[in-house]
Amino acid sequence: MESFKRKSPEEILDSINKLHRGRLKIYIGAVSGSGKTYHMLQEGQSLQYEGIDVVICAVSTMQRRETVEQVGTLERIPSIHWVQDGVEQKDLNLKALEERNPEVVLVDHLAHRNREGAPFPTRLEDIQYLLDLGISVITTVNVYELEGITEWVYQLTGIEAEYTVPIDTLELADEIRLIDVTPETILERLAKGYMHAPNPEMFHRGNLGKLRELALRLVAEDVNDSLERHREELGLHGASGATERILVPVQYHWNGSIYVRRGEQVAKRLGGDMLVASFVDPKRKLSKESAAFKRSIEQLVEKVGSEFEEIPLISRRRLPRQLIHYAVARNVTRIVMGHSRQTRWQELIRGSLVNGIFKRMKNMDLLLIADRAEQEGERILPTMRQEEDNDPYHRLSDEEAQAEAAKIRRGKLKVYIGAAPGVGKTYTMLREGNDLLASGIDVVIGLLETHGRAETLAQVGSLDTVSRQIIERHGVYLEEMDTEAILKRNPEVVLIDELAHTNVPGSSRSKRYEDVLTILDQGISVISTMNVQHLESLNDAVEQITGIRVRETVPDRMMRLADEVQLIDVAPKSLQQRMRDGKIYDPAKVEQALSHFFKLGNLIALRELALRELADDVDERLESWDRHESLRGPWRREEVIFVGVTLSNNAERLIRRGFRIAFRLKAVWIVTYVHVGISIPEKLNSRVEQLKMLTHRLGGTFEIRLVSSRREIADILITPVEGYTGTQLIVGQSSRSSRWGKDAVVPQILRQARHMDVLIVADYDPDIKLEEGD
């Protein structure tokens, strides 16, 4: 075990030095006005309340009412004022801070440059000096002020940062917290005069969306690094379930570039990263042609910003085993490669790399790319889908007019989402409700769950609450949200907690999100809350991360339906501390929670999952505004995805995976259950209906096909359906026969479906181990 390993003298010295060094926390946001200073000051107030000695220096409230209020009783150490190009600047007063020697200092603008003659040229160096004195620092920075990001920001938006800090500054921080704000909220603050726009181009809706997505993805990458370090310390190997990592094994051949390009596109659309590897016999010298292909692949990999590695090949027979070992060690979730070109007999005699990988893969999927060059002339670059034809002179039918009118009358939906309970979703929802009430909007609480948290209850303020409905069931009286009373009250906005809640049997609607849809249809706007683990399509990923199957879910379409989705981000260790302080659950439940769902590894992975999911949501919205705004690049030509399922326990996982891929690729998707027999026995009907309902809930089409023998299953899955010709087929690893014989379905598919992409979704094994020499 890692905990029993003796530390080196250098490690011991480093640990001792850290005992005396201050802590650094960084609030990061997309742009000025996102609320970084507000939250920093709010945390300062909380620390002061707990007895921590906190001061502020060089903090810029910009005279925003909300931010000024958060200063409260915090002691201000006068900063050093000076003027540059007619603009007043504030430097930290290091001498005064050193004499005052507080436990914590709050300071704005990490990227600030000091005046000439200052002890240090930059604020970052000021902060490092304070940390060395044992003074902890909480500070703020915008994503476009980080070197390495600035060039990308300029390419995407044309915006240049006045000052920057090194990108590795984030690695110095003990804690990073993202303050996520939607473009709509920023633009509303701007319109109301709560803030000013020093750079109007930055506050263009599309640019705000791009900067927001960059911030989400940047913090997600940082979280992923900490997750991998944590898993290594625990001796865990393989994918965490929080993110996608694509491995593209290539040969030095002309089609290597095709697979790299396709792998890059898959990684981008799924919000992951890509590795490219070539397994080469060290005893064989490359031919001139192979050397040329190697150079072109290396150049392409560098161009797309991925990693390339050349691995000494042990032996061709052991290549599948070596490749899987390499993939597990690098937390790969999906291998992308080409179909086998061998005949069945050649595979039996020589062995097949694809079949070898298929037999050994655990917790990672295998995507086999069709070589469409012969059929379509497609080589490296995928084509973009044609723009939809929106004819401004098209006369709407009565049905189309009614649908558009319903959209206009419909209320606005905003959802606060978090990685776990206790991050502050309800708190923030109530605060926004009071802000709306103060501005003259009629706001009420439809359903509130404080879970006994005093600081959340205090945020109710002046908000009225609609009384709950009492429902009698088997002699027990239960409370539920009274949707009809809310409709009768008819406010402008209603606050509804816990969107994923399942209503008491006997309620008018079975799920709370259905109540929300009813309220929205009546023109009432809703602000609600949920956790990322409640998204239907992430159900399997959450179980892989936590070992817990979440029973209450919300269809992903609710995220797409929402006009705004905003993340409430909290660092895992801070969340655990809130738990220990009794701010989330009853003290009696704390230890159990910390050793189960709230384990550090779970919280880190769920946080990364939430950051990446919201980044993808932001990118989808950018695409809906303007296809060229998307950071993930263009999608392929029109895709049609078939998902082949059995009635096994793995079926739901395949359906959810099919939905997530289809949604990211803008594809039509069809779930097919192939039954062997002339009809489906009555005892199986309920299971078939479960799969059908899940498919429809996620927006897919479910169909049943009947065959007379297992040998026909592969043919029927590949056959076009209702005029659709599939471009990708998704099947499960568990659908293979226990015998690698003539009735095994997946091997038949691999031989017969080489004209289309085939994704084999691996069985999940929570106890995967990386064995020596495997």
Side-chain angles (χ1 to χ4, degrees):
M1 294 291 291
E2 182 72 23
S3 57
F4 290 100
K5 184 180 177 182
R6 179 177 293 170
K7 290 183 178 180
S8 67
E10 291 78 10
E11 288 175 324
I12 293 172
L13 184 60
D14 183 57
S15 298
I16 293 172
N17 288 335
K18 285 180 179 177
L19 291 175
H20 300 286
R21 184 177 169 82
R23 282 178 53 83
L24 174 61
K25 180 171 182 176
I26 299 175
Y27 280 93
I28 187 170
V31 293
S32 176
S34 56
K36 302 180 297 299
T37 305
Y38 176 96
H39 284 89
M40 178 181 71
L41 291 169
Q42 189 178 61
E43 181 172 5
Q45 290 282 0
S46 297
L47 291 173
Q48 186 182 61
Y49 179 77
E50 293 169 8
I52 305 296
D53 183 16
V54 184
V55 301
I56 64 175
C57 186
V59 168
S60 301
T61 63
M62 308 298 287
Q63 297 305 308
R64 295 168 188 153
R65 177 181 56 82
E66 289 180 333
T67 309
V68 171
E69 287 176 358
Q70 292 302 315
V71 174
T73 58
L74 292 171
E75 180 185 347
R76 187 189 294 270
I77 302 296
S79 54
I80 298 172
H81 293 242
W82 59 287
V83 176
Q84 181 182 42
D85 299 328
V87 179
E88 186 181 52
Q89 307 286 335
K90 298 178 181 178
D91 286 359
L92 283 176
N93 192 333
L94 292 181
K95 185 177 179 181
L97 286 169
E98 187 173 356
E99 290 176 355
R100 173 63 176 75
N101 193 30
E103 289 179 274
V104 181
V105 60
L106 313 183
V107 55
D108 252 331
H109 305 309
L110 179 60
H112 173 78
R113 292 292 186 274
N114 292 332
R115 69 198 183 283
E116 255 187 65
F120 302 103
T122 67
R123 179 153 296 166
L124 174 60
E125 291 167 291
D126 287 344
I127 288 173
Q128 289 173 319
Y129 176 74
L130 293 173
L131 294 174
D132 288 339
L133 293 175
I135 299 173
S136 294
V137 177
I138 304 176
T139 186
T140 65
V141 72
N142 292 312
V143 67
Y144 57 84
E145 294 170 330
L146 296 167
E147 290 174 9
I149 302 295
T150 50
E151 185 177 342
W152 198 9
V153 168
Y154 182 73
Q155 290 174 356
L156 291 170
T157 66
I159 295 167
E160 289 186 276
E162 185 178 6
Y163 300 119
T164 62
V165 293
I167 187 71
D168 59 5
T169 301
L170 297 185
E171 296 177 15
L172 301 175
D174 299 277
E175 185 178 337
I176 296 168
R177 182 179 172 189
L178 173 69
I179 303 301
D180 179 50
V181 178
T182 64
E184 291 80 5
T185 298
I186 290 285
L187 293 173
E188 186 177 351
R189 290 175 182 175
L190 198 62
K192 290 182 177 180
Y194 295 163
M195 53 181 284
H196 70 283
N199 184 349
E201 186 61 28
M202 184 180 293
F203 289 82
H204 177 269
R205 186 187 188 192
N207 285 343
L208 289 173
K210 292 173 189 175
L211 291 168
R212 183 190 181 198
E213 183 178 350
L214 282 174
L216 285 160
R217 294 200 187 281
L218 177 70
V219 177
E221 286 298 325
D222 182 78
V223 173
N224 181 256
D225 291 342
S226 63
L227 176 60
E228 291 194 352
R229 286 194 298 270
H230 179 74
R231 287 172 61 82
E232 284 174 10
E233 289 170 4
L234 296 178
L236 299 174
H237 299 280
S240 67
T243 186
E244 292 272 2
R245 178 165 289 172
I246 312 299
L247 170 63
V248 183
V250 295
Q251 294 178 309
Y252 298 143
H253 189 262
W254 68 268
N255 59 12
S257 296
I258 291 179
Y259 302 143
V260 172
R261 282 288 190 185
R262 190 72 167 106
E264 181 216 8
Q265 190 184 51
V266 169
K268 275 191 172 183
R269 298 307 300 178
L270 299 182
D273 55 16
M274 178 178 71
L275 308 172
V276 180
S278 183
F279 293 80
V280 178
D281 185 348
K283 298 176 183 177
R284 291 184 62 181
K285 185 178 179 181
L286 293 179
S287 66
K288 287 185 178 180
E289 186 180 40
S290 295
F293 283 127
K294 176 183 176 180
R295 285 194 298 273
S296 66
I297 289 171
E298 286 176 329
Q299 289 168 1
L300 177 57
V301 171
E302 184 179 359
K303 181 179 178 182
V304 299
S306 296
E307 298 177 33
F308 175 79
E309 189 172 1
E310 191 174 80
I311 313 298
L313 178 65
I314 298 172
S315 74
R316 292 202 172 275
R317 280 285 178 183
R318 294 196 64 185
L319 178 55
R321 187 187 300 272
Q322 187 181 0
L323 195 152
I324 289 293
H325 187 277
Y326 177 87
V328 170
R330 284 152 185 82
N331 302 328
V332 166
T333 60
R334 182 174 307 198
I335 298 172
V336 175
M337 57 189 295
H339 279 281
S340 170
R341 292 176 173 273
Q342 300 182 124
T343 66
R344 184 178 182 183
W345 296 112
Q346 286 173 328
E347 288 177 354
L348 287 172
I349 296 167
R350 302 176 187 171
S352 165
L353 176 60
V354 171
N355 292 346
I357 292 172
F358 172 63
K359 290 175 183 178
R360 292 173 175 82
M361 65 186 199
K362 291 182 179 179
N363 300 357
M364 69 182 75
D365 302 340
L366 176 61
L367 176 60
L368 299 173
I369 303 298
D371 179 8
R372 296 191 176 89
E374 294 179 9
Q375 291 88 2
E376 304 168 16
E378 181 182 347
R379 294 289 293 232
I380 295 179
L381 287 171
T383 58
M384 288 182 62
R385 194 160 77 175
Q386 293 294 314
E387 298 284 347
E388 295 176 6
D389 183 20
N390 295 317
D391 186 354
Y393 295 102
H394 168 67
R395 179 180 293 169
L396 297 178
S397 66
D398 289 343
E399 292 79 8
E400 288 172 331
Q402 288 174 7
E404 290 300 317
K407 288 180 184 178
I408 294 170
R409 287 194 295 266
R410 179 180 159 274
K412 180 180 177 181
L413 174 62
K414 181 171 184 177
V415 178
Y416 284 106
I417 191 167
V423 297
K425 303 178 300 295
T426 304
Y427 181 100
T428 308
M429 177 183 73
L430 291 169
R431 197 183 71 205
E432 181 173 5
N434 273 294
D435 289 343
L436 291 171
L437 190 67
S439 63
I441 305 295
D442 182 17
V443 186
V444 300
I445 296 172
L447 194 288
L448 175 64
E449 295 288 359
T450 66
H451 299 286
R453 298 166 193 160
E455 56 183 10
T456 302
L457 186 61
Q459 292 301 311
V460 171
S462 304
L463 294 167
D464 289 334
T465 301
V466 176
S467 299
R468 301 191 187 194
Q469 180 184 14
I470 307 297
I471 299 175
E472 186 271 334
R473 181 167 174 80
H474 303 310
V476 178
Y477 293 91
L478 304 168
E479 292 186 342
E480 199 55 85
M481 184 174 77
D482 195 336
T483 302
E484 280 60 42
I486 292 171
L487 296 176
K488 186 176 180 181
R489 170 66 174 74
N490 194 30
E492 291 178 272
V493 181
V494 60
L495 312 182
I496 299 176
D497 226 347
E498 299 188 356
L499 187 62
H501 172 78
T502 300
N503 292 334
V504 173
S507 302
S508 301
R509 286 158 290 273
S510 62
K511 301 286 290 185
R512 185 163 292 162
Y513 73 80
E514 294 172 340
D515 291 323
V516 167
L517 291 172
T518 300
I519 292 168
L520 291 169
D521 286 342
Q522 297 304 308
I524 300 170
S525 293
V526 175
I527 303 176
S528 190
T529 65
M530 65 177 288
N531 291 317
V532 71
Q533 66 261 29
H534 293 126
L535 274 177
E536 175 68 58
S537 71
L538 292 177
N539 202 256
D540 306 297
V542 171
E543 184 179 24
Q544 181 177 338
I545 290 168
T546 65
I548 297 169
R549 172 65 70 175
V550 176
R551 299 299 172 190
E552 294 188 314
T553 60
V554 173
D556 291 58
R557 63 187 172 89
M558 290 300 293
M559 281 271 281
R560 303 199 297 275
L561 179 70
D563 300 274
E564 294 183 62
V565 181
Q566 187 167 318
L567 178 71
I568 306 299
D569 180 48
V570 172
K573 288 185 179 179
S574 292
L575 192 58
Q576 286 186 323
Q577 190 58 49
R578 285 188 189 182
M579 175 73 75
R580 293 187 185 95
D581 293 342
K583 294 180 179 180
I584 299 178
Y585 290 153
D586 184 273
K589 300 178 181 178
V590 169
E591 288 308 316
Q592 182 184 11
L594 288 173
S595 61
H596 289 83
F597 189 85
F598 278 77
K599 287 191 296 188
L600 183 60
N602 286 355
L603 295 179
I604 298 172
L606 287 169
R607 185 188 183 198
E608 182 180 356
L609 198 65
L611 287 160
R612 292 188 185 278
E613 189 64 24
L614 197 55
D616 284 345
D617 180 75
V618 172
D619 205 88
E620 295 293 337
R621 293 172 192 271
L622 283 169
E623 284 185 339
S624 70
W625 301 337
D626 181 348
R627 181 164 302 156
H628 303 290
E629 297 275 299
S630 169
L631 272 65
R632 292 178 296 169
W635 56 85
R636 286 162 48 91
R637 55 185 176 65
E638 191 79 43
E639 294 264 13
V640 179
I641 294 175
F642 293 161
V643 184
V645 298
T646 64
L647 301 185
S648 69
N649 293 332
N650 197 39
E652 283 91 348
R653 187 161 176 258
L654 282 173
I655 292 170
R656 295 188 189 101
R657 185 67 60 89
F659 159 75
R660 288 187 68 78
I661 293 169
F663 180 62
R664 298 306 181 213
L665 298 180
K666 307 292 185 292
V668 174
W669 64 293
I670 299 165
V671 176
T672 303
Y673 166 54
V674 183
H675 181 76
V676 180
I678 58 174
S679 64
I680 299 176
E682 188 175 339
K683 64 181 180 180
L684 300 180
N685 282 336
S686 62
R687 177 59 177 155
V688 173
E689 190 61 26
Q690 284 178 339
L691 302 182
K692 183 178 180 179
M693 288 176 61
L694 174 60
T695 302
H696 289 168
R697 197 158 65 239
L698 290 170
T701 300
F702 188 87
E703 60 159 27
I704 300 170
R705 311 284 291 276
L706 301 176
V707 295
S708 58
S709 72
R710 280 182 57 84
R711 296 182 187 181
E712 300 176 55
I713 294 176
D715 289 327
I716 209 76
L717 287 174
I718 298 166
T719 303
V721 178
E722 297 179 2
Y724 287 118
T725 299
T727 58
Q728 185 172 152
L729 174 63
I730 300 175
V731 292
Q733 186 181 21
S734 59
S735 64
R736 66 186 182 189
S737 169
S738 58
R739 296 181 295 121
W740 194 261
K742 60 184 179 181
D743 289 339
V745 175
V746 174
Q748 289 183 54
I749 289 172
L750 296 183
R751 286 192 296 271
Q752 297 175 35
R754 292 174 180 174
H755 61 287
M756 60 195 300
D757 296 349
V758 178
L759 174 66
I760 304 171
V761 177
D763 297 332
Y764 174 62
D765 180 3
D767 298 318
I768 186 170
K769 292 179 177 62
L770 187 65
E771 297 178 6
E772 191 68 34
D774 186 17

